[in-house]
Amino acid sequence: MFNILYMRIAVLALQGAFIEHEKMLQRLGAETFEVRQLSDWYQTKDALVIPGGESTTQIKLLHELNLYNPVREAILSGLPVFGTCAGLILLAKSVVGEEEIERISTMDISVCRNAYGRQLGSFYCEDVVDGVGDNIPMTFIRAPYIKCVTSLDCKPLAIVDGNIVAARQGNQIVTAFHPELNDDTRIHEYFMSIVREWVNKK
Ligand code: GLN
């Protein structure tokens, strides 16, 4: 089914768990390429994945490599983007206690970093993700959560222990957990359906 419409997805590969995303997207029939420097960014693409890792390192590198402005502008122009964990932090307009860093800031969410504390930072559960399905595997690694969405344009998609752990705003989706680390492809399929819709509209 996913081979019917060819799609080419950029994966930000500055740091963190990008290879796992590439493998999963390729399994679903997408072509992927890694964005390591500005010249990579100008390749043809239908979407972007921002992986988990260390958000402060990733944002620093985005600025140093002059990727920050083009990436931000593309997302604001509607390029579908999927941010996991650190990627969620990069896309957040507000991060509690961290106003000074210039993040991509395209999503109306307020986020707590390392929100579960050092001990509880990493855990696994399965839960519902709206529009995706039940029993979705959720691997959290020193994860953030979304304290609140700050506009009606942004919809919470999943709630674990009373905290929002996935959300969508237009063509942007974020998860506090790492769907690329489990075998279940449903979140990536959901993202690819957003990409497909966007490509068909272009
Ligand atoms: N704790 C990391 C941060 O704040 C995110 C962890 C992850 O991406 N798994 O950037």
Side-chain angles (χ1 to χ4, degrees):
M1 173 187 180
F2 289 98
N3 288 320
I4 295 170
L5 182 81
Y6 167 83
M7 64 174 80
R8 194 156 195 268
I9 301 181
V11 179
L12 193 65
L14 304 179
Q15 187 267 340
F18 50 88
I19 291 167
E20 293 80 357
H21 277 291
E22 290 168 24
K23 285 190 182 147
M24 194 159 261
L25 293 165
Q26 287 164 11
R27 234 172 98 187
L28 294 168
E31 189 182 320
T32 63
F33 69 96
E34 295 182 353
V35 177
R36 294 176 175 274
Q37 55 193 346
L38 187 58
S39 56
D40 300 327
W41 179 251
Y42 293 112
Q43 294 184 47
T44 310
K45 60 198 159 304
D46 302 306
L48 170 67
V49 169
I50 306 179
E54 192 53 44
S55 56
T56 40
T57 308
Q58 289 191 25
I59 201 71
K60 194 168 156 264
L61 288 169
L62 276 175
H63 284 284
E64 280 176 17
L65 297 164
N66 296 317
L67 278 161
Y68 174 81
N69 281 319
V71 167
R72 185 166 193 276
E73 276 157 26
I75 296 169
L76 288 173
S77 305
L79 183 75
V81 61
F82 176 19
T84 54
C85 204
L88 174 154
I89 297 167
L90 258 61
L91 292 169
K93 282 197 184 161
S94 150
V95 175
V96 174
E98 253 184 42
E99 305 313 326
E100 75 283 6
I101 309 171
E102 214 180 337
R103 289 175 302 273
I104 296 173
S105 304
T106 47
M107 221 168 154
D108 296 324
I109 51 177
S110 177
V111 169
C112 294
R113 259 187 92 190
N114 298 320
Y116 297 93
R118 276 171 194 271
Q119 297 303 318
L120 294 173
S122 304
F123 62 97
Y124 175 85
C125 65
E126 293 179 4
D127 219 312
V128 181
V129 178
D130 275 358
V132 180
D134 297 344
N135 302 108
I136 302 285
M138 299 179 176
T139 299
F140 292 85
I141 303 171
R142 290 176 298 107
Y145 63 62
I146 300 170
K147 210 175 110 196
C148 58
V149 300
T150 54
S151 87
L152 293 174
D153 297 334
C154 188
K155 307 269 180 260
L157 295 180
I159 294 176
V160 169
D161 295 334
N163 302 312
I164 304 168
V165 294
R168 174 174 179 182
Q169 180 167 356
N171 287 341
Q172 304 182 66
I173 64 165
V174 288
T175 60
F177 54 91
H178 287 263
E180 78 284 6
L181 297 184
N182 298 100
D183 215 33
D184 193 309
T185 56
R186 285 176 290 171
I187 299 259
H188 287 77
E189 287 176 49
Y190 176 70
F191 177 57
M192 285 170 70
S193 72
I194 294 171
V195 178
R196 193 175 309 113
E197 215 173 284
W198 188 69
V199 169
N200 282 334
K201 262 197 248 158
K202 274 202 289 187

